[in-house]
Amino acid sequence: LGTVQAYRAKPKGVEKPPVIVVIHEIFAVHEHIKDICRRLAKLGYYAIAPDLFARFGDATKVTDFKILINDFAAKVTDDQAMADVDAAVSFAKADGGDTARLGITGFCWGGRITWLYAEHNPALKAAVAWYGKVAGDATPNQPKSVIELAKDLKAPVLGLYGAADTGIPVSTLDELKNVATLAGKTVEFVVYPDTPHAFFADYRQSYTEAAAKNGWNRMKDWFKSNGV
């Protein structure tokens, strides 16, 4: 419970625009995430990025990666994250967004949350996860991996990943796809060769222009073809 901050960007002159929730990286709702919201708004979407770290302080002011992991990311329970995204969706609906055409996308830490939300909300139309972890050790706050929950996917998910991402082995993506496919779920992966983690982050050295542009276009197509 409580109040969390969010950043929103709304398209000009569009009545009841479709809604896309944008889930932040471990760096919280900083300028890059806000810019992604504005890019989506220019495409005609109501974009909203809730700060899922808000209860623990302002993560955008923190530069120490260990603090971001231990004092912010590790403290967020999966249940709380789902509730906060639900709240952002409710806010967007009350603010004029069309949540009957609801999508979600997220990056890095937010990529995992994107997968979880596709397993959580039956009203979701489509999801696009950018390099979000799908496997990993269970913790009290994050008790289940994306793979373990894949049979419960409620919406089609597009996963955009880099083959040179040392933290996310391609074998875990293959395992996820197998579980989802056996359960009759729609999952598609694009794995870019020789491409690192965070390839869409145009403020970091990891930025890979060709993969970033291709992924953005695939994301737009995925949302359109799935009713967002």
Side-chain angles (χ1 to χ4, degrees):
L1 296 174
T3 302
V4 298
Q5 292 179 313
Y7 181 87
R8 66 178 175 182
K10 299 163 71 173
K12 281 185 180 177
V14 178
E15 294 258 336
K16 293 209 78 176
V19 175
I20 294 179
V21 182
V22 179
I23 307 297
H24 57 76
E25 305 163 296
I26 202 166
F27 308 109
V29 184
H30 60 164
E31 284 307 316
H32 177 60
I33 297 299
K34 293 176 182 178
D35 185 53
I36 290 169
C37 289
R38 292 191 293 267
R39 292 184 215 180
L40 289 168
K42 287 178 180 177
L43 296 174
Y45 291 107
Y46 181 121
I48 183 165
D51 181 358
L52 304 184
F53 293 166
R55 288 173 181 78
F56 312 113
D58 184 356
T60 65
K61 301 285 198 294
V62 178
T63 55
D64 188 320
F65 202 70
K66 285 184 180 176
I67 291 174
L68 287 170
I69 292 173
N70 296 324
D71 293 352
F72 290 90
K75 289 185 176 180
V76 180
T77 69
D78 288 342
D79 287 346
Q80 186 67 69
M82 296 303 98
D84 285 349
V85 179
D86 283 341
V89 172
S90 296
F91 180 92
K93 182 177 182 179
D95 196 36
D98 181 8
T99 54
R101 295 180 290 161
L102 176 64
I104 187 169
T105 189
F107 301 81
C108 184
W109 182 86
R112 177 180 177 273
I113 299 299
T114 296
W115 280 105
L116 294 183
Y117 199 70
E119 294 157 348
H120 164 77
N121 185 359
L124 188 71
K125 287 284 188 286
V128 179
W130 299 74
Y131 34 86
K133 263 194 163 182
V134 301
D137 296 333
T139 70
N141 287 345
Q142 296 94 31
K144 295 273 182 79
S145 72
V146 171
I147 292 172
E148 290 175 275
L149 295 168
K151 66 185 185 303
D152 299 321
L153 282 167
K154 310 292 194 300
V157 186
L158 171 65
L160 301 170
Y161 288 80
D165 186 337
T166 55
I168 305 175
V170 174
S171 60
T172 62
L173 307 181
D174 294 337
E175 185 182 352
L176 171 56
K177 184 158 189 179
N178 287 338
V179 172
T181 303
L182 283 171
K185 308 301 179 181
T186 301
V187 171
E188 185 176 309
F189 283 100
V190 180
V191 181
Y192 296 98
D194 305 316
T195 300
H197 187 75
F199 60 83
F200 189 78
D202 55 11
Y203 65 101
R204 296 169 70 178
Q205 286 187 327
S206 56
Y207 177 64
T208 309
E209 185 178 13
K213 288 183 173 178
N214 182 270
W216 184 259
N217 288 330
R218 286 177 182 269
M219 179 187 73
K220 290 191 294 183
D221 291 344
W222 190 258
F223 283 135
K224 283 181 182 176
S225 64
N226 286 292
V228 182

